[in-house]
Amino acid sequence: MSLSSYLSPTRLLEGYLRRCLTSAGLTSQTLSIDSETTIHFWGPPPLDHRSDDDDRPVMLLLHGFGPSSMWQWRRQIQAFSPSVFRLYSPDLVFFGDSTSSSTNRTEVFQAECMAKLMEKMGIGKYNVVGTSYGGFVAYHMAKMWPEKVEKVVIASSGINMRKCDSESLLQRSNCECIEKVMLPSTATELRTLMALASSWRLVRMFPDALWNDVINNLYKKNRKEKIELLKGVTFGRNENLNIDPLSQEVLIVWGDKDQIFPVKMSYELKEILGEKAKLEIIDNTSHVPQIECAQEFNNIVLKFLKGS
């Protein structure tokens, strides 16, 4: 059973999300950052990008693997824009309406694209907030451009994962490959992902027709390229860690019930990133604390970035 496009709950919710972001002062924009890559993002009106008299700090929000940025950061955009931060929420390459003819599929490439986006808009310094896969990208941005990235928030992001952590995730999900976990193509697979990623039990009871509507609208586009992105991740390829401490202040935020990257990884990550890293655990929350417990997540991030 499928839902026609004009009755699609996903399409209706997408319209609501767009109105929320517009009401928060952001506009939907696309920008060619080079001859190969075009990035779609939500940000202040174009004339505001280079405003010299705007003293608000800049926040770059990097989403996780899954739907595009507006699905993952709506509550943060409403809380932080337009009065607190100049806020930019891009779709990573091959998510939403961001595209590229490049064959590079690593998260390092994603970091390079996000840095080019900010440079293209004339933004010299900014804070980066990344969740899950977006945390991978945020780490590389901070490491490669310490003179541009001021503070870093890494949420629910196992940049310290080893090959054994990927294997454990497959066991927890009862799947034979990572794309079946992160890129579900059936209602059963999506229900499994939601059980791992969210502490909300009610969502698991939704009928197959609704899950299939979500898959058709949010998971089918650029599926081939997204599988290549999963295989292109540089973290967790073996049992050795390939991360170093960052020069910036770092906030690590994690849900204590996270089943994608178990909370024990957050404590190890704090030790690896060194004395400038701070860890905040949100109770009774799984892999998407910015959605499940938005107000507490927002308060933690705001206190870290603004210092009050």
Side-chain angles (χ1 to χ4, degrees), residues 73-177:
W73 291 120
R74 190 261 302 180
R75 296 286 296 276
Q76 287 65 51
I77 291 170
Q78 288 179 308
F80 296 147
S81 179
S83 59
V84 184
F85 294 96
R86 285 169 61 197
L87 197 150
Y88 296 86
S89 183
D91 293 336
L92 294 173
V93 181
F94 298 122
F95 295 87
D97 292 325
S98 294
T99 62
S100 180
S101 60
S102 170
T103 57
N104 194 327
R105 297 292 185 265
T106 68
E107 78 280 6
V108 178
F109 171 68
Q110 298 276 15
E112 292 169 345
C113 290
M114 295 302 106
K116 285 182 180 180
L117 174 68
M118 301 305 276
E119 182 178 5
K120 198 86 170 178
M121 291 187 292
I123 300 171
K125 291 185 179 294
Y126 43 90
N127 303 290
V128 181
V129 182
T131 182
S132 195
Y133 181 74
F136 297 178
V137 181
Y139 169 81
H140 286 296
M141 292 187 73
K143 184 177 180 180
M144 292 190 289
W145 295 282
E147 75 283 1
K148 296 181 179 181
V149 177
E150 296 184 305
K151 290 185 178 181
V152 187
V153 179
I154 296 175
S156 314
S157 183
I159 62 175
N160 54 323
M161 70 176 177
R162 300 171 173 85
K163 187 176 181 180
C164 62
D165 296 309
S166 299
E167 293 169 348
S168 295
L169 173 57
L170 293 179
Q171 291 177 355
R172 288 193 297 275
S173 61
N174 196 30
C175 292
E176 67 273 14
C177 57

Side-chain angles (χ1 to χ4, degrees), residues 18 21-22 25-33 37-50 58-63 68-70 73 77 86-93 95-99 113-114 116-123:
R18 289 181 177 275
L21 271 58
T22 301
L26 303 189
T27 62
S28 174
Q29 302 167 55
T30 57
L31 188 61
S32 294
I33 59 170
T37 305
T38 299
I39 300 297
H40 170 265
F41 65 98
W42 287 88
L47 292 177
D48 293 349
H49 295 328
R50 300 173 186 266
V58 176
M59 175 188 286
L60 176 64
L61 294 170
L62 301 176
H63 63 82
S68 62
S69 62
M70 69 175 175
W73 291 120
I77 291 170
R86 285 169 61 197
L87 197 150
Y88 296 86
S89 183
D91 293 336
L92 294 173
V93 181
F95 295 87
D97 292 325
S98 294
T99 62
C113 290
M114 295 302 106
K116 285 182 180 180
L117 174 68
M118 301 305 276
E119 182 178 5
K120 198 86 170 178
M121 291 187 292
I123 300 171

Side-chain angles (χ1 to χ4, degrees), residues 174-217:
N174 196 30
C175 292
E176 67 273 14
C177 57
I178 192 64
E179 55 262 35
K180 284 191 173 292
V181 183
M182 304 308 297
L183 283 172
S185 59
T186 68
T188 298
E189 290 173 359
L190 183 52
R191 192 176 284 111
T192 297
L193 174 59
M194 291 303 298
L196 290 169
S198 172
S199 60
W200 296 338
R201 295 184 177 182
L202 181 62
V203 298
R204 305 170 203 176
M205 301 170 63
F206 292 162
D208 283 1
L210 181 57
W211 291 129
N212 287 327
D213 183 62
V214 171
I215 290 169
N216 289 333
N217 284 284

